[in-house]
Amino acid sequence: MVDLKAKPYCLSDADIAWVESTISGMTAEEKVGQLFWQLTASQEEPYLQELMEKYHLGGCRYNGMPGAKVLEQNRILQKYAKVPVFIACNPEQGGNGVCPDGTFVASQVKIGATRKPEYAQAMGRISGAQIAATGCNMAFAPVVDITYNWECEEVLARAYGNDAELVATMGKAFMDGVHETAGVAACAKHFPGNGQDYRDAHMSNNVNHFGLEQWMATYGHVYKTLIDGGLPAIMGGHILMPEYMKELNPEITIEEVLPATLQKEVMTDLLRGKLGFNGMVVTDASHMVAMTNRMKRKDMLPLAINAGCDMFLFFNDPEEDFATMLDAYKTGIIGEERMTEALTRILGLKAAMGLNKKAKEDLCPAAEDLQAVLQDPEFKAVAPAISKDALTLVKYKDEGVLPLDPAKTKRIMIVQVKGADGPMAALAAMAMGQGRGAKTPAEKLRDRLIEKGFDAFIYVSPLDQILADVKQGKPFNLNIYFAGKNAISDFVAGQDLVITLFNVANGHPAFGMSKGGGEIPWYVHEQPVIGISVNKPTMLADAPMLRTYINTYDSNDDTMDALVEALLEGPEAFKGQDPIDSYCGMWDTHM
């Protein structure tokens, strides 16, 4: 059932013999262990040894840690592995997804804005090199979802855009870049395709509404492009396909429509049958609610394998999950033929990566070579080039606002608009380099504008003023909040131009509603206003009145450098093309 001589394996007779003899020599426990990935919770050798010797893991993931620690962990894992283990990371934005000291390149949506596949390939090449340098061997990337719904925050920054051809071209370029490094495999995600439902599969259901014809022309085209190019692995998403399932069976009930990772009609019939995928499939994380809310876990584990997933991502409890899968195999719920097929794909891919030909001590590279790869100056030069080419002038109705000139608009007020705080807000800020002591995007922009001769300052809202007064021991004075309504002439006299700077990672902007103050750009017809989003590129939905609007996609130093230079050069300096619909499908955002 698995052609090991065809793509993506292309194995020799000797390699095929290794796969077959290894499987035939396995115990039931060793076979079941190969089906599992685990997210390591410690780097201590006894813990890692137990994972490999007790659970015989087929794959491992890990949380972020310096490259040297990643390399040491991986050396221990391979030391105790009877069969070489897959070790994956999430380089969706470059080598910083391998380890924090790896090379950040760009978000996928930012690369999509450049329309340059060479940037996606460069990110893949950098990722592949830094994956191998840390002893890892698989990239859980590229993300080849399509941003059809602007409210789908799970995908918005992670996908290349809302056009299937663009996503296919960029996704294949990234894959090709990863595969420039021998022994590293790309794993595209999330089949059958996210990006239509605003809900996050980590917390709720997620639906792909396309029927077969529309799906084949979009998501199917993307996956077929990568499959034909030699894609070795796919991550299955916990995504419902109700329209597709109704086409197959008009009498199907709601309860019978399952997430793709549990639906044989999707993971086997569609992926293997219609698309001809011959490679290995791993589920997305098994703690995600879109998977766990449909049945008992003891039923879910073997069903994922029987549906066509070859590997299962993460134990909930190692002992419990392992025992569940082992019992399903021993009692015939997972049949011998299906087990052999899954193992053949798993070991076949390991052989295609050359892992079977290396001694244990050679599965990870020398530690002394690590920093040279992580700190490669050629790799670091890619991000600034992307930042310059990605800047997108989405909306420009007040012609003449650009270029900025101190002689024309010397006094610039920067209004920083943040998102509503949530349980993940602090972590998200830290992940974007906005931890304690780091400059805010508004401070970065202010300082750069001052260097260029502007009198730039950051607006202090009435709410911020109340908080500052209370911290200084002054009495709480709510009247400050209601004191924003003044003569328009008084308001506009304070500055020559306003930059509304959106620093919103998720959700919607948390405007202060200060009764005529500066937070909301109600004054776009009173003086020049430029809206700039440094993270989420859909802020026009919340501020449709903006007549000039720019997306930068992040607020890194090289991005802010490129932004200021472009503001001074004028509209022609903004080379990016909107990779999504930044007007968010709303008529009033065009006003």
Side-chain angles (χ1 to χ4, degrees), residues 418-489:
K418 299 179 182 180
D421 288 342
M424 298 295 289
L427 289 176
M430 291 175 65
M432 292 183 290
Q434 297 171 24
R436 185 177 299 175
K439 286 187 177 182
T440 67
E443 290 168 339
K444 291 181 179 182
L445 180 59
R446 176 200 62 196
D447 294 349
R448 285 164 173 77
L449 288 172
I450 289 173
E451 289 176 2
K452 298 296 184 180
F454 294 91
D455 290 339
F457 62 97
I458 298 173
Y459 171 78
V460 179
S461 74
L463 293 176
D464 288 338
Q465 187 61 57
I466 292 171
L467 291 173
D469 288 350
V470 170
K471 285 181 180 180
Q472 293 174 11
K474 298 178 181 179
F476 178 80
N477 182 8
L478 188 59
N479 288 330
I480 295 176
Y481 179 77
F482 296 101
K485 286 187 175 180
N486 297 304
I488 300 299
S489 58

